[in-house]
Amino acid sequence: MEPRGRVTITDVARTAGVSVATVSKVINDRYGVAASTAAHVRAVIADMGYESSLVARSLRSQRTGVLGILLAEFEPFSTELLKGLAAGAARSGYELLAWSGGGGPDGHVGWERRSLAQLSGTLIDGAVLITPTLVVPDAGIPVVAIDPHAGSASTPGVESDNLAGAASAVEHLIALGHRRIGFLGGRPDLQSAQLREEGYRRTLAAAGIPVDPDLIRVGGYRPETADAPAHELLTLPDPPTAVFAANDLSAIRTLQVATSLGLRVPHDLSVVGFDNVPESALCTPQLTTVSQPLHRMGREAMEMLLALLRGETLEVTQRRLPTELVVRASTRAR
């Protein structure tokens, strides 16, 4: 079968035996075309797989019918959110465009500004930003953030209860008898990372355990950036007996570093993560973690965006959803 290029409106007109103007009227539901002719043209359109370009659609109607899901990269956390976002958009009449904007010349920082400049107004009608790296600029379209930047209070957003989730993780380790509990933090610019560290500190203080600065490192939410800090924690002269990592990917890398150092988890070291991405139940040992309702976070972010597109005023602009501790095999009593 010979490859075909993109089907054009001229191709449809030629195949249907009508003028380009007639096809245009059918596509745009305009008057002046007999019902039988319109039905014939629509059948040809369906058979040929014709679709007008997003740019042409935008120029014609000032909307594209597409919503952007903008993220720095595709990784387990954002992948789970995408499932919830897709569920939220079902039957809305909008299509979704997942756009990874972290590969620009400046790396990951500022990807949302570049992505919105490229897409807004011509390719997408609104956007959901996942873990933005800066305060969202005025894009001229409705925008909702998931896991917002620390300075993004003016942008509608959805997050989990990071403070309570972190507290539950540390309380679990304290209840198991641990007193030297290390903390592998996330991205300092994100509100989630700040609240998880605050939960770690508050919970130790409430238990009468002094916060030891030597037991705190920044992991950055990424396996490659968590590797060296995890190694530093586990090779201290007086190392922690447990580590609370601010996300699952950092926790899983901590498990790997511990194994490389000859430490047995959980016999020599207990580890707790945060997120409950699918990988947390697939690693060895299975990871104890704080579960975020990722699908619900995505669904509610999409509901907020759709409401903004309808011109509605949001009663609550910042939604915080509950977390739950999931105890698995990576923690045990001291």
Side-chain angles (χ1 to χ4, degrees), residues 11-313:
D11 297 329
V12 173
R14 184 183 303 114
T15 302
V18 298
S19 68
V20 170
T22 297
V23 176
S24 179
K25 287 180 180 180
V26 172
I27 292 171
N28 294 287
D29 292 323
R30 293 176 185 156
Y31 294 107
V33 181
S36 59
T37 301
H40 173 60
V41 170
R42 291 192 185 98
V44 171
I45 288 172
D47 182 61
M48 297 184 71
Y50 170 75
E51 181 61 66
S52 60
S53 74
L54 295 179
V55 173
R57 197 188 308 173
S58 173
L59 291 172
R60 187 170 60 245
S61 65
Q62 303 302 307
R63 62 182 296 274
T64 66
V66 177
L67 304 178
I69 312 301
L70 311 186
L71 60 156
E73 61 181 330
F74 291 96
E75 39 73 39
F77 174 77
S78 58
T79 300
E80 292 304 303
L81 290 171
L82 282 170
K83 297 174 184 176
L85 287 160
R91 296 180 296 280
S92 69
Y94 285 95
E95 298 176 51
L96 300 185
L97 170 67
W99 179 274
S100 176
D106 301 322
H108 292 287
V109 177
W111 60 265
E112 50 281 277
R113 182 187 287 121
R114 295 189 298 270
S115 297
L116 286 169
Q118 290 174 304
L119 301 176
S120 62
T122 54
L123 290 179
I124 59 174
D125 298 330
V128 174
L129 303 183
I130 298 177
T131 60
T133 61
L134 45 71
V135 176
V136 180
D138 182 6
I141 59 173
V143 173
V144 175
I146 296 178
D147 194 6
H149 186 275
S152 298
S154 60
T155 302
V158 178
E159 63 178 347
S160 68
D161 194 338
N162 294 287
L163 187 66
S168 68
V170 179
E171 287 168 355
H172 171 66
L173 293 171
I174 292 173
L176 293 174
H178 294 279
R179 294 298 178 268
R180 286 190 63 75
I181 302 172
F183 177 65
L184 194 57
R187 264 178 41 194
D189 61 306
L190 283 178
Q191 187 168 281
S192 62
Q194 295 178 4
L195 289 170
R196 290 172 201 182
E197 180 170 348
E198 183 180 348
Y200 164 80
R201 291 175 176 273
R202 279 193 193 182
T203 307
L204 289 181
I209 302 173
V211 175
D212 185 348
D214 285 343
L215 297 181
I216 299 175
R217 296 289 190 281
V218 176
Y221 281 158
R222 297 166 60 86
E224 58 270 30
T225 56
D227 190 274
H231 194 275
E232 290 172 11
L233 280 175
L234 300 185
T235 55
L236 287 170
D238 186 10
T241 63
V243 171
F244 168 42
N247 76 334
D248 285 347
L249 297 184
S250 298
I252 292 170
R253 181 53 60 92
T254 302
L255 295 178
Q256 295 166 346
V257 171
T259 299
S260 73
L261 293 171
L263 297 173
R264 300 169 301 160
V265 178
H267 299 82
D268 303 319
L269 177 74
S270 287
V271 179
V272 180
F274 202 113
D275 285 338
N276 197 27
V277 296
E279 287 77 359
S280 66
L282 300 174
C283 60
T284 303
Q286 291 186 326
L287 184 67
T288 294
T289 187
V290 177
S291 180
Q292 296 196 78
L294 298 177
H295 290 202
R296 182 180 169 191
M297 289 168 67
R299 188 175 67 251
E300 294 203 11
M302 181 56 65
E303 290 171 357
M304 293 171 74
L305 180 60
L306 292 173
L308 292 172
L309 287 163
R310 292 192 296 268
E312 300 173 8
T313 299

Side-chain angles (χ1 to χ4, degrees), residues 156-157 303-304 307-308 311-319:
E303 290 171 357
M304 293 171 74
L308 292 172
E312 300 173 8
T313 299
L314 299 177
E315 293 184 7
V316 178
T317 59
Q318 303 298 324
R319 296 190 187 181

